[in-house]
């Protein structure tokens, strides 16, 4: 069992999700988690959180239903220069940011172009996690990403939604294997993420956990159960 999940989405992300942060925390508590990260989509996603929503997050309670809460954002990478869809003013007051590519915001280019877009975006000090860069629609050079991530103190996630059979991201297993291979090579920690939209999959790492265990990836490099280490990592800029 893993004790933290930092890639989750509430009603503020749209997508038909109707669950509030309190709903999310209550479900995380029921499932025995200790730390929950709310990372709603940036404003570039249709019907997602507005700037005023992200401005208010730092004033929200830090504990609900016995769960420690971190407030972040899943940013959209907008172009190969690594532009993202939330201002520095707002990012500087959030706990962390995940950067991701979504087809409605970023037009996939070559492997080199997509890789450079991730590398440029991860240079922002708020960015801590590379979001579902296993997506088959956005091919990248994982070794180059891992080297940049090591320099910028950013980590990969192993995304449950990507590894779920029938994922709209395509068959991501080969890409996820490359991520783990590179993480091992460069001694990079990873985080398992549910990418839950609403309460349905909070803390559900069924496929992700099976995958890392089949790969024999060391638990010492998986941050979900290392809560003090995870908190220091997220809060260090």
């Amino acid at each position: 069992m893993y004790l933290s999940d930092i890639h989750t989405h509430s009603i503020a992300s749209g997508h038909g999700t109707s669950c509030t942060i309190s709903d999310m925390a209550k479900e995380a508590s029921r499932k025995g988690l200790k730390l929950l990260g709310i990372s709603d989509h940036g404003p570039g996603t249709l019907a997602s959180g507005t700037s005023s929503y992200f401005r208010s997050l730092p004033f929200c309670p830090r504990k609900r239903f016995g769960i420690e809460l971190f407030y972040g954002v899943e940013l959209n990478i907008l172009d190969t220069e690594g532009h993202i869809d939330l201002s520095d003013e707002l990012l500087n007051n959030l706990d962390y940011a995940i950067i991701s590519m979504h087809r409605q915001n970023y037009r996939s280019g070559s492997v080199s172009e997509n890789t450079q877009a991730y590398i440029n975006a991860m240079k922002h000090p708020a960015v801590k996690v590379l979001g579902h860069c296993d997506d088959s629609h956005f091919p990248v050079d994982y070794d180059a990403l891992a080297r940049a991530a090591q320099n910028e103190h950013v980590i990969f996630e192993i995304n449950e939604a990507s590894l779920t059979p029938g994922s709209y991201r395509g068959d991501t297993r080969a890409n996820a294997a490359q991520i783990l291979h590179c993480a091992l090579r460069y001694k990079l920690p990873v985080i398992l993420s549910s990418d839950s939209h609403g309460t349905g999959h909070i803390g559900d790492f069924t496929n992700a956990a099976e995958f890392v265990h089949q790969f024999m990836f060391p638990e010492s490099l998986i941050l979900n159960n290392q809560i003090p280490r995870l908190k220091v990592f997220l809060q260090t800029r």
Side-chain angles (χ1 to χ4, degrees):
M1 177 178 171
Y2 290 101
L3 300 176
S4 64
D5 188 359
I6 66 166
H7 187 162
T8 69
H9 300 276
S10 75
I11 189 172
S13 284
H15 302 329
T17 299
S18 61
C19 299
T20 66
I21 292 174
S22 287
D23 296 330
M24 307 283 281
K26 187 174 184 179
E27 180 65 8
S29 178
R30 188 186 73 81
K31 290 186 174 179
L33 271 66
K34 302 298 182 186
L35 187 150
L36 175 67
I38 303 294
S39 55
D40 284 309
H41 288 289
T45 299
L46 185 64
S48 67
T50 62
S51 294
S52 60
Y53 166 73
F54 290 106
R55 184 171 285 109
S56 70
L57 282 179
F59 303 102
C60 292
R62 285 291 174 172
K63 270 207 166 182
R64 303 189 195 203
F65 304 100
I67 295 292
E68 189 165 7
L69 286 164
F70 273 44
Y71 298 106
V73 58
E74 183 180 6
L75 296 168
N76 291 291
I77 298 175
L78 303 177
D79 52 37
T80 55
E81 286 73 37
H83 291 118
I84 47 183
D85 59 338
L86 206 63
S87 70
D88 287 353
E89 174 203 354
L90 299 179
L91 283 171
N92 289 338
N93 290 318
L94 296 176
D95 292 317
Y96 64 99
I98 300 168
I99 49 170
S100 302
M101 290 179 176
H102 298 100
R103 279 177 279 179
Q104 62 266 46
N105 299 108
Y106 176 85
R107 184 174 180 177
S108 183
S110 65
V111 168
S112 176
E113 289 170 333
N114 295 339
T115 303
Q116 196 59 48
Y118 265 114
I119 289 173
N120 288 336
M122 77 170 78
K123 292 177 181 177
H124 194 288
V127 171
K128 305 304 292 186
V129 180
L130 303 177
H132 51 75
C133 60
D134 52 14
D135 193 327
S136 60
H137 299 98
F138 304 103
V140 294
D141 180 336
Y142 290 103
D143 189 78
L145 276 190
R147 284 185 275 111
Q150 186 180 50
N151 289 335
E152 302 295 340
H153 305 289
V154 173
I155 63 172
F156 290 100
E157 70 170 4
I158 301 299
N159 188 289
E160 173 69 19
S162 294
L163 289 167
T164 299
S167 168
Y168 67 89
R169 294 176 188 139
D171 186 352
T172 65
R173 294 178 66 84
N175 292 340
Q178 286 195 63
I179 288 171
L180 292 179
H181 178 75
C182 290
L184 269 178
R185 178 183 297 169
Y186 295 103
K187 300 296 187 289
L188 284 172
V190 301
I191 190 87
L192 306 188
S193 300
S194 71
D195 202 354
S196 184
H197 286 66
T199 59
H201 298 285
I202 288 175
D204 180 359
F205 308 117
T206 304
N207 296 287
E210 180 183 8
F211 191 83
V212 296
H213 294 152
Q214 286 177 348
F215 197 86
M216 293 186 289
F217 193 80
E219 286 288 333
S220 61
L221 288 177
I222 301 174
L223 292 185
N224 296 73
N225 280 353
Q226 303 178 56
I227 302 297
R229 184 182 176 192
L230 175 59
K231 289 166 61 176
V232 168
F233 169 73
L234 292 178
Q235 294 175 320
T236 300
R237 300 280 174 99

